[in-house]
């Protein structure tokens, strides 16, 4: 990633987590990916340490225990010995996935974790945005956001980047034409 000069990276959303159960490919700005890496290396790692130390997996309702199949990041081995593709799990099931090592619960599969390592529940995001909006208001900033507004802001940003990219391609395509 350090030597990668692309401004954005493609990310595939599988059908079970895409709107209308349709898969999508989205572009994520490189700077967002870098911040995600920071989160994973620092905050998520701290939450996972607590998850392991406190056996927090016992608080997950109906956990789905899986092991990563050897050399294959897409396939998972379920506790009954069967295999399943990671991208077949819907958002609710993904909240319950727990990676195991040698049949011992090790790490939650969810990206966003609470301070103790539990997956952040979907309805928690609304509360988080409300608290942040309140803090902005207390600081004298008239900013009120919701996860849905953020989704639309991200879409507008992606559209602007795609248009800029297409204009660049169009300029390149006509540069060799004679007047």
């Amino acid at each position: 990633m350090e030597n990668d000069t692309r401004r954005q990276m493609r990310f595939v959303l599988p059908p079970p987590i895409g709107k209308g159960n349709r898969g999508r490919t989205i572009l994520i700005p490189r700077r967002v990916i870098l911040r995600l890496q920071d989160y994973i290396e620092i905050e998520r790692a701290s939450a996972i340490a607590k998850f392991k130390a406190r056996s927090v997996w016992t608080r997950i309702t109906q956990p789905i225990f899986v092991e990563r199949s050897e050399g294959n990041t897409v396939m998972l081995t379920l506790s009954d010995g069967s295999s399943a593709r990671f991208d077949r799990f819907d958002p609710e099931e993904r909240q319950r996935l727990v990676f195991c090592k040698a049949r011992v619960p090790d790490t939650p599969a969810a990206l966003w974790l609470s301070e103790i390592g539990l997956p952040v529940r979907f309805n928690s995001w609304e509360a988080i945005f409300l608290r942040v909006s309140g803090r902005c208001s207390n600081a004298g900033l008239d900013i009120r956001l919701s996860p849905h507004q953020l989704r639309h802001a991200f879409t507008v940003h992606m559209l602007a980047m795609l248009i800029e990219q297409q204009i660049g391609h169009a300029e390149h395509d006509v540069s060799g034409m004679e007047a």
Side-chain angles (χ1 to χ4, degrees), residues 15 36 77 86 121 128 136 173:
L36 279 172
T77 302
F86 185 75
R121 304 299 302 166
I128 290 167
C136 289
D173 289 345

Side-chain angles (χ1 to χ4, degrees), residues 95-158:
Q95 295 265 307
R96 298 174 23 225
L97 287 174
V98 177
F99 289 122
C100 298
K101 286 186 180 173
R103 298 190 178 260
V104 176
D106 184 62
T107 310
L111 174 62
W112 302 109
L113 303 177
S114 69
E115 188 176 327
I116 62 168
L118 284 173
V120 174
R121 304 299 302 166
F122 301 117
N123 59 353
S124 297
W125 290 108
E126 290 288 340
I128 290 167
F129 275 76
L130 278 173
R131 279 197 315 269
V132 169
S133 294
R135 288 179 183 169
C136 289
S137 180
N138 291 341
L141 302 171
D142 187 26
I143 298 174
R144 288 180 292 273
L145 289 174
S146 70
H148 190 74
Q149 288 169 310
L150 183 62
R151 178 174 163 241
H152 284 278
F154 184 77
T155 302
V156 169
H157 175 75
M158 289 288 90

